[in-house]
Amino acid sequence: MSPLLLDVSSISLAFGGLKAVAGFDLKLAPGDLQGLIGPNGAGKTTVFNLLTGIYRPDSGDMRLSGQPLAGMKPHQITACGIARTFQNIRLFPDLSVLDNVRTACHVRAERGMIGAVLRTPRHCAEERAITERAHELLAIFKLDHRRRDQARNLDEPAAGMNPQEKKALRDLIRFVREKFALTVLLIEHDMGVVMDVCERITVLDHGETIARGSPGEIQCDPKVIEAYLGTPGEAPARAGTAAREG
């Protein structure tokens, strides 16, 4: 069995008297592609905020490759290797596409403010390496021809996708995992995408984990059917249809 990359044990968080997340567990081995789903208000975003240091858990433990994450600030957790994307685009709209990619490299940069001000040889060498890497990444994703465009002129990638574009998104998620040897935790409202691309899925409802398993197990689970349809006696076939239709 592969050693755990991310080990989350019994984390909980309450806002006043409201339990946002209760006793949440998550185990990710290197290379995993898992999904986290649940109805609106289930606690999905709260979990992401806990994992990335936006919130601090009231209790529980989070470890990345055995290193405790409790008490770390978001930028420190990012430096350890956990990064997130957002539902809403987080770009610098007035910067070029190339410079947006370059900014993502700052967490790995070694030269500091003094080197930047004095334009030391080491700083300049690092800047050249960052620019080369940014070009490589844009070429991989077939965006190098847009490198000089302002980021505000790019289309929003997940807006109103048709079936062909959804398939391309699923293929892209798999490609990114394989190409960069990443471990992926996916929160996605399109249930068809989650069911098709994720190997295991965790389901939240009102901050509680109600199910965990393969896509087939999840779409037939009575608790999941009830959470999404509000009718505990529905047949599994209907749950599968509902999952694919979102």
Side-chain angles (χ1 to χ4, degrees):
M1 190 167 181
S2 301
L4 290 178
L5 177 63
L6 182 65
D7 187 359
V8 179
S9 300
S10 299
I11 58 171
S12 298
L13 178 67
F15 297 107
L18 175 64
K19 201 77 167 180
V21 173
F24 180 78
D25 296 324
L26 181 68
K27 315 294 181 186
L28 292 178
D32 275 357
L33 202 173
Q34 295 195 30
L36 179 63
I37 64 174
N40 290 336
K44 304 183 298 295
T45 301
T46 301
V47 166
F48 254 29
N49 286 335
L50 287 166
L51 296 179
T52 54
I54 305 298
Y55 299 150
R56 294 189 180 185
D58 296 328
S59 60
D61 186 49
M62 301 185 299
R63 293 176 181 267
L64 181 67
S65 297
Q67 178 182 357
L69 298 177
M72 283 191 178
K73 296 180 179 179
H75 72 275
Q76 294 171 321
I77 291 178
T78 301
C80 288
I82 296 181
R84 69 182 287 180
T85 59
F86 290 84
Q87 180 177 355
N88 296 321
I89 286 182
R90 293 294 195 269
L91 297 176
F92 298 100
D94 296 322
L95 294 182
S96 69
V97 172
L98 176 64
D99 283 340
N100 266 270
V101 177
R102 280 167 40 85
T103 60
C105 296
H106 81 281
V107 73
R108 301 282 183 242
E110 297 179 359
R111 309 277 76 83
M113 177 87 61
I114 294 177
V117 172
L118 298 179
R119 305 294 296 175
T120 63
R122 287 187 177 183
H123 170 79
C124 292
E126 186 173 57
E127 285 293 301
R128 286 193 297 272
I130 286 173
T131 299
E132 289 173 5
R133 181 58 174 158
H135 278 292
E136 291 173 3
L137 292 170
L138 287 172
I140 287 171
F141 293 101
K142 299 179 174 58
L143 284 170
D144 198 44
H145 67 289
R146 303 289 300 272
R147 64 188 180 277
R148 294 190 180 90
D149 292 1
Q150 281 189 322
R152 67 168 70 251
N153 295 325
L154 294 181
D155 295 332
E156 186 171 347
M161 291 187 297
N162 60 41
Q164 290 74 27
E165 290 166 335
K166 290 180 182 180
K167 180 182 183 303
L169 175 62
R170 295 193 291 269
D171 292 343
L172 178 61
I173 293 170
R174 295 188 184 103
F175 168 77
V176 167
R177 177 178 68 160
E178 297 299 325
K179 177 70 176 178
F180 301 102
L182 297 178
T183 302
V184 179
L185 176 62
L186 175 66
I187 291 182
E188 168 58 51
H189 292 292
D190 189 304
M191 295 294 293
V193 172
V194 176
M195 291 292 176
D196 185 58
V197 78
C198 293
E199 294 145 354
R200 287 185 62 79
I201 299 170
T202 298
V203 187
L204 287 176
D205 189 27
H206 296 99
E208 302 273 355
T209 299
I210 61 171
R212 181 179 286 114
S214 68
E217 292 168 335
I218 291 303
Q219 69 179 18
C220 295
D221 189 291
K223 292 183 180 178
V224 177
I225 296 170
E226 181 178 359
Y228 276 96
L229 300 179
T231 48
E234 292 291 343
R238 182 178 172 186
T241 301
R244 284 170 176 76
E245 292 175 352

